[in-house]
Amino acid sequence: NAEYMGIPLQKMARFAAVICIAFLVSFAAASCDPTCKSGCSQLAEIAKKAGQDYDAVYAQCIQMLCPDCKSTLSIFGAPLSSPSPVTFTACDKNTPVFKVNQITVDPFPVVKGQDANMVLSGEMTQDQSISTVDVITKLVGVQLDKTTVTVTDDVAAGSYSLPVKSLIRSEAPPNTYQVFFHVNNDQNAEIACVKIDLKIN
């Protein structure tokens, strides 16, 4: 535990490494040079050893110092597509009033601790007053969470897109979850129910 002027040498070395890496990252940021991403990775590793969250530090570094990399890099190592269509299925065999034909998720992959902005698009077969959307998360058939999103939207028959925002909990263990969307009108009658499989890393 050697010290210099009362400061542990290990801490000083770590701080110096952060400064050097930040300099290299800034130098390479303009063109999304691999050095920029590599520097952020090293910076996040140092932060992790200091007890901070690797993913959060890495994402912040990319956002602040490597803006040209954001469109091609995810904090989980996969390309970002914003928004991205996802595969979905109907919850049951009932004929829905709101016939969903596409669901998009943004960002994708989702990020723990941040909102996932999802849009259900399709055709409203008759005039409706939408009241709420129940977002239910399950794992292997067991319900883990339920969030009711208030919508209050008068919709005429025809094409319609319904935005739904849901927080991806930071404590969620890595797994593939089933997320159900129950769309209800002002009479508390369900007019659509769709399900997606959402992978959280």
Side-chain angles (χ1 to χ4, degrees):
N1 297 328
E3 296 184 353
Y4 177 74
M5 297 182 65
I7 303 175
L9 290 181
Q10 186 178 10
K11 182 178 289 187
M12 290 184 66
R14 190 172 292 169
F15 178 74
V18 170
I19 296 297
C20 291
I21 292 170
F23 176 78
L24 290 173
V25 168
S26 299
F27 182 77
S31 60
C32 192
D33 189 284
T35 305
C36 190
K37 293 182 284 187
S38 176
C40 281
S41 179
Q42 294 177 53
L43 190 64
E45 283 291 350
I46 293 173
K48 181 179 179 181
K49 291 177 181 178
Q52 298 186 43
D53 183 79
Y54 177 96
D55 291 335
V57 173
Y58 185 71
Q60 188 172 19
C61 178
I62 290 291
Q63 183 176 3
M64 294 177 62
L65 300 178
C66 311
D68 291 337
C69 298
K70 288 193 294 182
S71 62
T72 58
L73 188 71
S74 161
I75 65 172
F76 300 117
L80 285 173
S81 53
S82 178
S84 176
V86 295
T87 302
F88 70 94
T89 56
C91 300
D92 50 45
K93 296 182 180 180
N94 295 332
T95 301
V97 176
F98 176 33
K99 295 182 177 180
V100 177
N101 55 38
Q102 179 178 268
I103 298 178
T104 59
V105 179
D106 179 22
F108 189 81
V110 295
V111 180
K112 289 194 287 187
Q114 297 184 15
D115 285 328
N117 297 293
M118 294 163 282
V119 179
L120 284 61
S121 300
E123 180 186 0
M124 192 68 71
T125 59
Q126 54 184 267
D127 295 353
Q128 287 288 309
S129 293
I130 299 178
S131 177
T132 59
V133 180
D134 293 324
V135 183
I136 298 175
T137 303
K138 295 183 179 182
L139 181 61
V140 198
V142 178
Q143 182 172 319
L144 303 178
D145 187 44
K146 178 181 178 180
T147 302
T148 299
V149 180
T150 301
V151 179
T152 314
D153 195 5
D154 292 327
V155 183
S159 298
Y160 177 64
S161 293
L162 173 62
V164 180
K165 181 181 292 186
S166 183
L167 175 67
I168 305 300
R169 300 187 183 279
S170 57
E171 66 271 19
N175 217 315
T176 299
Y177 297 83
Q178 294 75 51
V179 182
F180 295 76
F181 301 89
H182 298 266
V183 184
N184 309 302
N185 64 16
D186 59 349
Q187 303 300 313
N188 203 33
E190 185 177 280
I191 61 173
C193 181
V194 288
K195 176 188 72 172
I196 65 173
D197 290 330
L198 193 62
K199 184 177 181 180
I200 298 179
N201 294 306

